[in-house]
Amino acid sequence: MISHESLATGRDVSASLYVEIQQFYGRHMRAMDECRVEVWTSDFTEDAVFATNARPEPQIGRTVIAEGARKAAQLLTEQGDRRRHCVGTLEVSERPDGTVVAKSYAQLVRTPQEGETVLELFCTCEDVLIREEGRLFIKHRQVYRDDLPEN
Amino acid sequence: MISHESLATGRDVSASLYVEIQQFYGRHMRAMDECRVEVWTSDFTEDAVFATNARPEPQIGRTVIAEGARKAAQLLTEQGDRRRHCVGTLEVSERPDGTVVAKSYAQLVRTPQEGETVLELFCTCEDVLIREEGRLFIKHRQVYRDDLPEN
Amino acid sequence: MISHESLATGRDVSASLYVEIQQFYGRHMRAMDECRVEVWTSDFTEDAVFATNARPEPQIGRTVIAEGARKAAQLLTEQGDRRRHCVGTLEVSERPDGTVVAKSYAQLVRTPQEGETVLELFCTCEDVLIREEGRLFIKHRQVYRDDLPEN
């Protein structure tokens, strides 16, 4: 059980787990930003749920999530824009059942071809991660864009 | 004593302390951004000092700091804006007396209700943290906004 | 040898190495942003190479890199602007030969004297770091600005 004290200090999460998640996001976000959709998609469990206030219904299952990501990557490639997910302000906690909750902030930074870089939008992300065969996978993702209503 | 060598490499600070401080800021900044002022305020010592070049005099004591934070949160709620502290570029050192100095960069990102997200301002933050009953508290905070004169 | 599995999870890199590199960048970027060019420069090996798509040819050797940095710092001081490198989304890997590859994102945030803060530009950075006498040095840096063509 996680005590109030450990929740307050975050000391219950080991440095190696916290760093593992930083590495996970480094790789995960870079994969998306470089349009390596297969790599990005492989970070989700087969039955993962991706919910966001930018869509009326959550995407359910890795196949559906992958389809959405491929379309987004294709659009970005057609536009010739670069888009980066600058992820940070990470807060990690472990649940009694062994799943990991990772809260992060993401600034989306877009640069049109030889154009000026702009902060396109901001979102919060809350992932529930599970470990399978030694590595972490996203089982549930909840993203909120700050520029859209919560529901 | 901290040697020149260890200052240069930052190896004197353990991974667990560095991660503890990342967790601390994750929780601390999220509390502020979600207007959970009591949680944010509880990260300061009773006698904490909060100095910034945005105010002529430092705030002295947790009660005074809390009052300022409540007003800021109320204003934000009234405006219906969302404001996020994206904290990073963290550098941590330990002093011989056991206090911890944490330097960070913070980008303040504001999104008006259904409006466009903007980078509102940038500030540097230098906190002196002490450990009491197992957890860290801010004893002294010095914030500089880059858009204002230093004094 | 680094297995596919360990590449996927990033678990091959210890928490202490990852944190050491976060500390390295905290110090390194702060040195540049505060125009302490000597400190910044001392993070490069004598024979370091600094390549970027903002220059037709790479800078070769610490002396040349230092000269470029001094000019940039002087220009910034003359303009009276503040410029910050907000570094993050870090991904670290170790090569079999012991060198370390660190990939990061950097948002450059500029604030003219008493003016408004703007996101000036975005770049990706890939450093090859080596350890000498206990501390890390940059042996090769490749920076890409997103607003310029790749070559």
Side-chain angles (χ1 to χ4, degrees):
Chain A
M1 225 196 86
I2 300 168
S3 69
H4 173 75
E5 177 65 15
S6 62
L7 272 173
T9 61
R11 296 187 89 188
D12 53 303
V13 170
S14 71
S16 67
L17 176 60
Y18 191 90
V19 163
E20 185 183 355
I21 290 170
Q22 288 183 297
Q23 291 271 59
F24 179 90
Y25 283 118
R27 199 177 58 87
H28 182 68
M29 295 306 177
R30 213 163 256 107
M32 177 50 112
D33 296 344
E34 296 169 2
C35 296
R36 291 180 282 111
V37 174
E38 303 302 315
V39 174
W40 183 81
T41 305
S42 70
D43 287 333
F44 291 89
T45 62
E46 198 64 40
D47 64 346
V49 175
F50 186 161
T52 155
N53 64 340
R55 284 190 293 265
E57 301 292 337
Q59 294 176 326
I60 298 172
R62 194 199 277 159
T63 311
V64 175
I65 294 168
E67 202 184 332
R70 268 193 301 271
K71 281 181 190 163
Q74 201 184 329
L75 186 63
L76 203 65
T77 306
E78 282 167 15
Q79 292 168 327
D81 290 9
R82 290 190 181 107
R83 195 165 75 158
R84 309 292 182 175
H85 291 73
C86 298
V87 68
T89 318
L90 179 67
E91 191 185 355
V92 178
S93 57
E94 268 183 294
R95 288 173 172 170
D97 66 0
T99 58
V100 175
V101 179
K103 297 181 183 181
S104 61
Y105 282 177
Q107 291 170 276
L108 269 71
V109 173
R110 184 185 280 261
T111 310
Q113 251 183 332
E114 294 173 53
E116 274 190 36
T117 295
V118 292
L119 175 59
E120 186 179 23
L121 56 89
F122 176 92
C123 46
T124 60
C125 178
E126 182 167 332
D127 282 341
V128 178
L129 300 143
I130 60 162
R131 191 178 299 281
E132 275 177 10
E133 291 170 29
R135 61 155 290 190
L136 292 167
F137 293 90
I138 303 158
K139 193 170 174 59
H140 191 279
R141 167 163 288 177
Q142 176 68 60
V143 167
Y144 286 111
R145 275 174 51 176
D146 267 5
D147 59 320
L148 298 176
E150 276 201 24
N151 296 297
Chain B
M1 226 195 86
I2 299 167
S3 70
H4 173 74
E5 177 66 14
S6 64
L7 271 173
T9 62
R11 295 187 89 189
D12 52 304
V13 170
S14 70
S16 68
L17 176 59
Y18 191 91
V19 163
E20 185 182 356
I21 289 170
Q22 287 183 298
Q23 291 271 57
F24 179 90
Y25 283 118
R27 199 176 59 87
H28 182 69
M29 295 307 177
R30 213 162 256 107
M32 178 50 111
D33 295 344
E34 296 169 2
C35 296
R36 291 180 283 112
V37 174
E38 303 303 315
V39 174
W40 182 82
T41 304
S42 70
D43 287 332
F44 291 89
T45 62
E46 197 64 41
D47 64 346
V49 174
F50 187 162
T52 155
N53 65 339
R55 284 190 294 265
E57 300 292 336
Q59 294 176 325
I60 298 172
R62 192 198 279 160
T63 311
V64 175
I65 294 168
E67 203 184 331
R70 268 193 302 272
K71 281 182 191 163
Q74 201 183 328
L75 186 63
L76 203 64
T77 305
E78 283 167 14
Q79 292 168 329
D81 289 10
R82 290 190 181 106
R83 195 164 75 157
R84 309 293 182 174
H85 291 73
C86 298
V87 68
T89 317
L90 179 68
E91 192 186 355
V92 177
S93 57
E94 268 183 295
R95 287 172 172 170
D97 66 0
T99 58
V100 175
V101 179
K103 298 181 182 181
S104 60
Y105 282 177
Q107 291 169 277
L108 269 70
V109 172
R110 182 185 281 260
T111 310
Q113 252 185 332
E114 294 173 54
E116 273 188 39
T117 295
V118 292
L119 175 59
E120 187 180 21
L121 54 88
F122 176 93
C123 45
T124 59
C125 178
E126 183 167 332
D127 281 341
V128 178
L129 300 142
I130 61 162
R131 192 178 298 281
E132 275 177 8
E133 293 171 27
R135 60 155 291 189
L136 293 166
F137 292 89
I138 303 157
K139 194 171 173 58
H140 191 279
R141 168 164 288 176
Q142 176 67 60
V143 167
Y144 286 111
R145 276 175 50 177
D146 266 4
D147 59 319
L148 298 176
E150 277 202 22
N151 296 298
Chain C
M1 225 195 86
I2 299 168
S3 69
H4 174 75
E5 178 66 13
S6 63
L7 271 173
T9 61
R11 294 186 92 188
D12 52 303
V13 170
S14 70
S16 68
L17 176 60
Y18 191 90
V19 164
E20 185 183 356
I21 290 169
Q22 288 183 296
Q23 291 270 58
F24 180 90
Y25 283 117
R27 200 176 60 87
H28 182 69
M29 295 307 177
R30 214 163 254 105
M32 177 50 110
D33 295 344
E34 296 169 1
C35 295
R36 291 180 282 110
V37 174
E38 303 303 315
V39 174
W40 182 82
T41 304
S42 71
D43 288 333
F44 292 88
T45 61
E46 198 64 40
D47 64 345
V49 174
F50 187 162
T52 155
N53 64 340
R55 284 191 293 265
E57 300 293 336
Q59 294 177 326
I60 298 172
R62 193 199 277 159
T63 311
V64 176
I65 294 168
E67 201 183 332
R70 268 192 302 271
K71 281 181 190 163
Q74 200 184 331
L75 186 62
L76 203 65
T77 306
E78 282 168 15
Q79 292 168 327
D81 289 10
R82 290 190 180 106
R83 195 164 76 157
R84 308 292 183 175
H85 291 73
C86 298
V87 67
T89 317
L90 179 68
E91 192 186 353
V92 177
S93 58
E94 268 182 294
R95 288 175 172 169
D97 65 359
T99 59
V100 174
V101 179
K103 297 181 182 182
S104 61
Y105 282 177
Q107 291 169 277
L108 268 71
V109 172
R110 183 185 280 261
T111 310
Q113 250 183 335
E114 295 174 51
E116 274 190 37
T117 295
V118 292
L119 176 59
E120 186 179 22
L121 55 90
F122 177 91
C123 46
T124 60
C125 178
E126 182 167 331
D127 282 341
V128 178
L129 300 143
I130 60 161
R131 192 178 299 280
E132 274 177 9
E133 292 171 28
R135 60 154 293 188
L136 293 167
F137 293 89
I138 303 157
K139 193 169 174 59
H140 191 278
R141 167 163 288 176
Q142 176 67 59
V143 167
Y144 286 110
R145 276 174 50 177
D146 266 4
D147 59 318
L148 298 176
E150 277 201 24
N151 296 298

